[in-house]
Amino acid sequence: MITIYGMTDSGNCYKPRLLMAKLGRPFKHVETSSRDGTTRSTAYLAKNANGKVPLLELEDGRFLAESNAILLYLAEGTRLLPTDAYERALVYQWLFFEQYSHEPYIAVRRSLMTYPERAVLATPERLASLLESGNRALGVMEAQLRKTPFLAGDAMSVADIALYAYTQDASVGGYDLGVLPAVRAWLARIEADQGHVPMAWLP
Ligand SMILES: N[C@@H](CCC(=O)N[C@@H](CS)C(=O)NCC(=O)O)C(=O)O
């Protein structure tokens, strides 16, 4: 059986759990936290030299890191990854957007505001900058979702799973989803889709 190493309260780790639940596929979860040092242990670094979660372990013992690469691998051949080259490239576009223009702001602000050990890094200047950049990313999503029901077009894809993870609780980091009606309607569409589970769900 596939194993996912991850932290329960990390959005990056929620992405592959949510995908597996939506696909109805069983998997094993191994709680692997940065807060107790496990991600930097010798045993874990032998699995993923970058010391980050999530990490996928295949049945044959091979590993795959990076949440969005894991999504692409797991979604191959399913309804959540198009086969047409352009439609697939649109999915990649949103996955790269998530990693460069969304997660570094929205996920980081959330962590600064919720993890006590990170509070020292939460200077007013940094919080203000993260708020501005995160709101810009949410604005880009709002503009797209006013045109299409899902980020890459008419059908749900792994791009929606990736961006759902840290958008669904962006208010924890101080972002106001109340001013983003298309984003809120999109969140509800993903939640209504088959197999949906909340972030705290574990198999
Ligand atoms: N680009 C990576 C980011 C992974 C990442 O930053 N994971 C965090 C948890 S959300 C982590 O492993 N932190 C542990 C550490 O840095 O020690 C991905 O999308 O998988």
Side-chain angles (χ1 to χ4, degrees), residues 7 10 12 15 34 39-40 51-54 66-67 99 166:
M7 289 163 68
S10 145
N12 283 320
K15 295 175 195 175
S34 56
T39 52
R40 299 304 152 113
K52 304 273 187 195
V53 280
E66 292 294 329
S67 58
Q99 287 283 286
Y166 282 114

Side-chain angles (χ1 to χ4, degrees), residues 1-5 20 25-30 55 57 203:
M1 186 183 293
I2 275 181
T3 300
I4 299 175
Y5 298 83
M20 290 295 267
R25 291 183 63 181
F27 66 98
K28 183 178 155 197
H29 168 84
V30 176
L55 178 70
E57 182 174 4

Side-chain angles (χ1 to χ4, degrees), residues 86-104:
Y86 179 72
E87 289 176 16
R88 186 180 274 241
L90 283 179
V91 172
Y92 297 158
Q93 173 191 301
W94 285 104
L95 293 177
F96 294 132
F97 165 86
E98 191 269 345
Q99 287 283 286
Y100 195 76
S101 301
H102 183 285
E103 194 261 13

